[in-house]
Amino acid sequence: MAQYLMSVLHDSTDPATAEEMAAIDVFNAKLRADGHWMFAAGLASPDAATVVDGRRPGPIVTDGPYLESKEHVIGFWIVEAPHLDVALRLATEGSRSCNRRVELRPILGE
Amino acid sequence: MTDVDEVIGRVHREEWARLVATLARRLGDLDVAEEMAAEAFASAVQRWPVAGVPPNPGGWLTTTAYRRAVDRLRREVRREEKHREALMLFHPAEPLGAIDDDRLRLIFTCCHPALAMEARVALTLRMVGGLTVGEIARAFLVEEAAMGRRITRAKAKIRAARIPYGVPSREDLPARVTGVLAVLYLIFNEGYLASDPGREPVRAELTAEAIRLTRLVRALLPADGETAGLLALMLLTEARREARVSVDGELVTLHEQDRGRWDRGLIAEGHALVRALIAAGRPPGRYQILAAVNAVHTDAADARHTDWSQVVALYDQLTRLDPSPIVRLNRAIAVAELDGPQVALAQVDELPLPDYRAFHATRAELLRRLGRVQESRAAYDRAVGSAGNAAETAYLTRRRDQLAGP
């Protein structure tokens, strides 16, 4: 089994609608039932982000996201799948449920 | 070229894909499979002229490549077992009765939609077609080192993202077959109508390779109508290759081609495929319809005898599947022959294709027929000015310069 990160891409500040939330709940239940579920969460907007650089003494703390871009990650799933074809199917369903594009990326194994 | 060289060349064409595909499954590693297949052929080049061609060349190559691979993997496994395992190709369990051919697994892996199109093309030509990286680089006018990196990156993604080495599930299969055919058609078209103006207008090595690969896919998926349709389309197009560019390197249109130079053998094969598809009676996809269009063209002893109403009917069918402006442009070209340039021009003028060379070339031709010389010249200017194939440019330039003075 491999693990994949499915990042939900979002390009406005509008929150998810009630229908989208309901569709996401249905998708989450299916992920659990089919044994793909590892974790999922929504994220606060990039306005609430802080960048910390602790590589030197006296860490530098900066307000805002590390990349200013119109599109940002608004939430994510971590799923387990035997190979990419299964993960692609999950990403397609996930994208449909949240009504946004999803970036699918393998998580490195040990 | 000696007899042995010829045998090696033939065995390379016939056995390369099978060799790479078998090794990839048994070793779980595309890189090692490719390298060992190449080494086995290098051994054959050295040994066969001396020791003679073995009775079963394919078996000899497989055994040679496999022994070397096992030796090498053993050394590496001892060094970093866990690491190696993580890099293994993922080979999913497949339902019994699924098409069991490693070459098909290899083709589906190389044409996976998670890879960029140019990577799919390069990987397919290297891993399935057996072209060298240098040959592929030259075919696509890319530096050899850059092409090598493109292939290496694609193989790395296959491993890291776990692109499976297998035949897609039943629900994914139709879309994935379509994806494979798109790669093959792109290779064919790049050979048939090279997009780069600095290139030879027609590159027979690419069209031949595309046909060879499509024959292979057809042998592996004999029940797939679109695969047969694509093969027929390629054969009926390839049949006209010799007549299509003049000695001066200028494109010769279908109307002006010397039909005596068409390859009758390829036409007969293409027609037989189209007839079989029509007899099967399933709703045709785009390649089958385009093959039928080309069957109509190659059926006529000269351009005047073309059954244009049949061509328009086929484009009507294609428009229902794919109402894109490019399909409608091709339909309008047939309409011009049936209902005249005025009707066709009205349809062409509606199409949103401002940067498409064939759009301006078609308008130029229709305006010329209508005697609208100045507008025609302007349209030829736009067609010549848009990037494209060198033989086309030569043809369009001559047509423009033949227009009567302003």
Side-chain angles (χ1 to χ4, degrees):
Chain A
M1 278 292 173
Q3 292 178 3
Y4 295 87
L5 171 69
M6 294 175 11
S7 307
V8 178
L9 306 177
H10 185 58
D11 61 4
S12 82
T13 49
D14 304 333
T17 65
E19 294 90 66
E20 285 162 5
M21 291 308 295
I24 291 168
D25 286 343
V26 171
F27 175 61
N28 285 344
K30 188 162 178 288
L31 280 181
R32 286 199 172 87
D34 295 344
H36 296 298
W37 170 274
M38 300 292 292
F39 188 72
L43 298 176
S45 90
D47 298 345
T50 310
V51 173
V52 178
D53 187 345
R55 291 173 295 183
R56 268 175 287 238
I60 298 166
V61 173
T62 321
D63 170 44
Y66 81 102
L67 252 185
E68 289 289 350
S69 79
K70 201 168 167 319
E71 207 165 39
H72 59 269
V73 175
I74 195 188
F76 62 90
W77 284 277
I78 294 174
V79 296
E80 201 168 52
H83 55 80
L84 187 69
D85 284 0
V86 176
L88 282 171
R89 224 169 294 138
L90 299 177
T92 307
E93 286 175 47
S95 161
R96 204 174 293 140
S97 75
C98 68
N99 193 29
R100 281 165 181 81
R101 296 194 301 148
V102 164
E103 186 206 74
L104 181 65
R105 225 155 126 179
I107 292 177
L108 290 177
E110 297 109 68
Chain B
M1 193 185 264
T2 67
D3 288 353
V4 177
D5 288 340
E6 258 180 55
V7 171
I8 292 174
R10 179 172 52 76
V11 172
H12 190 269
R13 282 192 298 280
E14 289 171 2
E15 297 291 338
W16 171 270
R18 195 195 310 274
L19 185 58
V20 173
T22 308
L23 292 169
R25 182 175 48 77
R26 284 164 70 176
L27 305 166
D29 189 311
L30 277 183
D31 261 335
V32 178
E34 178 197 344
E35 237 177 88
M36 295 304 133
E39 276 194 24
F41 272 100
S43 303
V45 169
Q46 287 189 334
R47 303 253 347 231
W48 294 3
V50 184
V53 176
N56 174 0
W60 186 95
L61 288 162
T62 310
T63 310
T64 304
Y66 193 62
R67 277 200 197 122
R68 286 177 183 226
V70 168
D71 283 349
R72 181 172 141 175
L73 286 173
R74 245 183 226 138
R75 285 197 302 275
E76 290 184 13
V77 164
R78 254 181 240 131
R79 208 163 56 225
E80 38 181 349
E81 193 152 3
K82 271 210 112 153
H83 180 59
R84 268 232 63 81
E85 215 166 277
L87 293 181
M88 293 284 268
L89 267 182
F90 183 75
H91 182 233
E94 285 161 26
L96 284 173
I99 318 136
D100 189 28
D101 191 297
D102 285 328
R103 288 170 301 176
L104 202 55
R105 294 189 179 92
L106 184 64
I107 290 165
F108 278 117
T109 304
C110 291
C111 295
H112 198 281
L115 300 169
M117 193 57 166
E118 55 179 27
R120 289 181 229 170
V121 167
L123 259 191
T124 302
L125 288 172
R126 174 70 194 126
M127 308 301 279
V128 189
L131 272 64
T132 64
V133 174
E135 286 168 336
I136 304 167
R138 280 192 294 282
F140 289 92
L141 206 70
V142 172
E143 293 267 339
E144 184 166 341
M147 185 56 81
R149 283 195 298 276
R150 186 183 294 178
I151 293 174
T152 303
R153 267 201 309 272
K155 285 189 290 197
K157 180 164 184 185
I158 289 173
R159 280 192 298 261
R162 274 213 186 201
I163 290 179
Y165 187 68
V167 176
S169 67
R170 188 184 298 270
E171 54 184 317
D172 288 344
L173 194 61
R176 294 286 302 281
V177 172
T178 305
V180 169
L181 299 183
V183 169
L184 300 176
Y185 195 36
L186 192 149
I187 295 170
F188 183 85
N189 277 331
E190 193 51 33
Y192 197 70
L193 198 73
S195 54
D196 193 295
R199 299 297 312 219
E200 287 286 301
V202 176
R203 272 166 301 150
E205 73 280 9
L206 275 185
T207 56
E209 186 58 29
I211 289 174
R212 199 171 72 82
L213 290 171
T214 309
R215 284 190 194 282
L216 172 62
V217 175
R218 167 152 167 74
L220 296 170
L221 296 171
D224 186 69
E226 278 295 85
T227 306
L230 179 60
L231 179 58
L233 171 59
M234 287 181 182
L235 294 172
L236 294 173
T237 312
E238 175 79 355
R240 308 195 299 259
R241 181 164 56 79
E242 285 289 318
R244 198 162 146 276
V245 178
S246 73
V247 282
D248 310 323
E250 190 182 295
L251 187 84
V252 184
T253 61
L254 199 48
H255 281 85
E256 296 171 329
Q257 282 174 18
D258 173 1
R259 298 188 175 211
R261 295 178 67 197
W262 287 359
D263 186 324
R264 292 290 146 194
L266 292 180
I267 290 177
E269 192 188 351
H271 282 190
L273 280 167
V274 171
R275 278 196 299 274
L277 288 167
I278 292 169
R282 284 173 307 219
R286 68 175 298 123
Y287 295 124
Q288 293 170 72
I289 296 172
L290 288 171
V293 168
N294 280 274
V296 175
H297 285 311
T298 45
D299 211 22
D302 70 73
R304 282 171 301 145
H305 292 116
T306 305
D307 183 350
W308 290 105
S309 62
Q310 183 66 29
V311 175
V312 172
L314 286 164
Y315 274 117
D316 282 337
Q317 209 175 351
L318 185 54
T319 311
R320 284 193 290 276
L321 286 183
D322 172 13
S324 72
I326 291 177
V327 171
R328 283 153 59 204
L329 177 66
N330 284 309
R331 182 184 177 280
I333 293 170
V335 165
E337 304 300 326
L338 201 61
D339 301 327
Q342 190 76 55
V343 179
L345 184 63
Q347 294 177 6
V348 171
D349 278 339
E350 285 175 9
L351 302 173
L353 291 168
D355 299 318
Y356 191 56
R357 171 176 252 191
F359 169 76
H360 298 292
T362 304
R363 286 195 74 239
E365 186 59 35
L366 295 173
L367 288 162
R368 162 213 288 281
R369 285 200 230 169
L370 291 167
R372 289 157 66 176
V373 174
Q374 280 188 344
E375 290 166 275
S376 175
R377 180 173 291 115
Y380 276 120
D381 283 341
R382 290 207 61 180
V384 170
S386 52
N389 181 272
E392 254 179 17
T393 306
Y395 165 76
L396 292 167
T397 307
R398 179 174 63 83
R399 293 291 274 181
R400 178 190 61 192
D401 296 346
Q402 279 175 347
L403 284 170

